[in-house]
Amino acid sequence: MATILFPTCCCSSSIGFGQRLMHVNKHKRSRFFAEATRKVTSDGEEHLGFCGSRRWALSSGLCLASGLVLGFPGDGLAVKQGLLAGRIPGLSDPDEQGWRTYRRPDDKSGGHGVGWSPIVPYLFKVPQGWEEVPVSIADLGGTEIDLRFANSQEGRLFVVVAPVLRFADLGEDAKIEQIGPPEKVINAFGPEVIGENVEGKVLSMEVAEHAGRTYYQFELEPPHVLITATAAGNRLYLFNVTANGLQWKKHYKDLKKISDSFRVV
C-alpha cells in the first residue's frame, strides 16, 4: 500500500486526514502560482509568466465574467438576476403615526404564468406590528396570491393578482371599468377571496378614483373582509383585509384604513 507523506508546517498530526489533504493541496496551488507567475530569462532578468500574458488576462476575464453571470457556487459574488425569488423586504420606516408603507419591490419575482406582463408595483400602509408572512401555493388562491401580511392581534391581509383574460381579452392596459361594474367583479372574483359564493354577503360597494385609476371597494360579512379591486396591465388586483369577530370589533378603524390605502402605482 502506498504511503502518503505530509509536509510539516501547519499540517500537524493533531488534525484529521481530510484537513491535512486540504493543506497539501493548498501548498501545491501556492507553489504552482508562485512558479507560474515568475519567469527568469538567461540574462537573469525576471518577467511575469503566463499570469502576465495577454492570453491569460483575457481568459481570466472571461472566467470572471462567467462567474458573475452564472453565479458559480462558492465564488462569493453577489448576482443581480432582475427577478428575485422569495420575499424581499418592502416596508418603509414608520411615519409620525407609526404606520409603515409597503411597496412591492421591482425585482420581486411572480410572473403568474408564461406570457403575462410584469406585475405593476402596488403599495399600502400598515400600522406597527404587521409583518410579511410566507405564501404557499397550497393556500386558497394558489399561485395567484402574491403577498401575505398579518398581525396576530389585529388581522391579516393578502393580495391576489389574477389574469383579466378570464373575463375578456382587454389587451395589455386593462381598466377595471372594462371588466364590468362592481357587482359583476365581486360576483366573479369574490369567491376566490372567501372560498364561497358572495351572494347575500356584500354589505357595501363603493367606487373611488386615485391618480386616474378606478378602485372598487367592498365590505363583506361574514366572513369579515374588506376588498379593494382594480386593474393594471393585463391583471386584476384584489387587496383583501380580513379578521375574526373580536379583531373586527376592536380594530375595524385600522383595518379600514389599511384597505383604503391600497394603490397600484
Side-chain angles (χ1 to χ4, degrees):
M1 180 183 294
T3 302
I4 300 177
L5 298 178
F6 295 96
T8 54
C9 71
C10 56
C11 305
S12 65
S13 59
S14 61
I15 63 176
F17 177 86
Q19 291 174 296
R20 294 199 299 272
L21 188 58
M22 289 174 63
H23 279 295
V24 170
N25 290 335
K26 178 180 178 181
H27 290 310
K28 286 181 178 179
R29 288 195 301 269
S30 298
R31 289 196 300 271
F32 169 74
F33 282 108
E35 292 169 2
T37 55
R38 295 177 66 252
K39 179 179 176 182
V40 181
T41 61
S42 57
D43 59 359
E45 184 180 356
E46 229 179 46
H47 294 276
L48 289 175
F50 74 86
C51 284
S53 68
R54 177 178 300 176
R55 179 180 299 175
W56 184 87
L58 288 173
S59 62
S60 350
L62 288 173
C63 291
L64 178 59
S66 301
L68 286 169
V69 174
L70 300 177
F72 296 122
D75 58 14
L77 297 174
V79 181
K80 183 176 178 62
Q81 300 177 7
L83 291 178
L84 304 178
R87 289 179 289 158
I88 306 175
L91 275 175
S92 70
D93 292 330
D95 61 18
E96 294 178 355
Q97 287 75 41
W99 285 66
R100 305 166 73 188
T101 299
Y102 175 89
R103 185 187 188 281
R104 190 185 195 277
D106 294 332
D107 288 333
K108 181 179 177 180
S109 64
H112 301 325
V114 176
W116 293 104
S117 61
I119 293 177
V120 180
Y122 53 79
L123 59 83
F124 56 87
K125 295 180 180 293
V126 289
Q128 287 278 48
W130 285 70
E131 300 291 344
E132 186 177 354
V133 296
V135 173
S136 169
I137 60 172
D139 289 341
L140 179 65
T143 59
E144 291 179 355
I145 294 183
D146 188 63
L147 180 76
R148 281 191 182 277
F149 262 68
N151 180 303
S152 60
Q153 303 301 315
E154 298 178 18
R156 60 192 186 278
L157 67 82
F158 59 100
V159 182
V160 172
V161 184
V164 297
L165 192 60
R166 290 188 196 173
F167 238 77
D169 187 358
L170 302 177
E172 296 300 313
D173 189 23
K175 308 295 183 185
I176 197 166
E177 302 95 314
Q178 296 174 291
I179 298 175
E183 297 86 351
K184 187 176 182 180
V185 171
I186 194 62
N187 288 332
F189 293 98
E192 297 197 21
V193 176
I194 66 173
E196 57 184 286
N197 196 295
V198 300
E199 185 178 356
K201 300 181 183 295
V202 182
L203 297 182
S204 67
M205 289 185 288
E206 298 177 4
V207 178
E209 184 175 324
H210 303 284
R213 193 183 302 279
T214 301
Y215 296 79
Y216 295 163
Q217 297 175 312
F218 310 92
E219 182 174 337
L220 280 65
E221 184 182 21
H224 301 282
V225 60
L226 295 164
I227 301 173
T228 300
T230 193
N234 54 14
R235 305 172 190 273
L236 177 77
Y237 293 73
L238 295 170
F239 182 69
N240 314 282
V241 181
T242 184
N244 61 38
L246 181 59
Q247 293 169 335
W248 192 260
K249 184 177 180 179
K250 292 180 63 176
H251 303 286
Y252 175 82
K253 184 177 179 180
D254 281 351
L255 296 172
K256 186 69 167 65
K257 184 176 177 179
I258 294 171
S259 180
D260 291 346
S261 71
F262 181 73
R263 303 284 187 274
V264 175
V265 297

